[in-house]
Amino acid sequence: MKKLIFTFAMTMLATHLPAPTAILTVTALAGGNLQIVASIGPQVRAYGCVLHSTKDFASWTAISTNTFPGNGMVTNIVQTTNSMSFYKVEV
């Protein structure tokens, strides 16, 4: 009985840990492209993330899915259009 309780407690702890905060850095590149870097720090590994874009803050579209490597940084190159776009990352 003690083993079952311990297993349940460990499962609850592992599934309720908050996701780390991601920071987006956007850099303009030649040809109208953007380099978007999502960073969560090198101490956090194996988190997946989805980069989203929107033009109206009501409808978000997933444009890239990644897993953070050991350095905690994911880089995406995004082709821009003439309209204004906003980006967010979901960890």
Side-chain angles (χ1 to χ4, degrees), residues 13-35:
L13 177 64
T15 58
H16 287 82
L17 295 175
T21 301
I23 298 171
L24 287 182
T25 305
V26 180
T27 306
L29 300 176
N33 293 331
L34 297 176
Q35 175 180 290

Side-chain angles (χ1 to χ4, degrees), residues 4-50:
L4 176 63
I5 293 171
F6 177 73
T7 303
F8 177 71
M10 289 303 290
T11 302
M12 292 296 291
L13 177 64
T15 58
H16 287 82
L17 295 175
T21 301
I23 298 171
L24 287 182
T25 305
V26 180
T27 306
L29 300 176
N33 293 331
L34 297 176
Q35 175 180 290
I36 302 175
V37 178
S39 174
I40 60 172
Q43 71 279 7
V44 182
R45 294 188 180 128
Y47 272 96
C49 71
V50 181

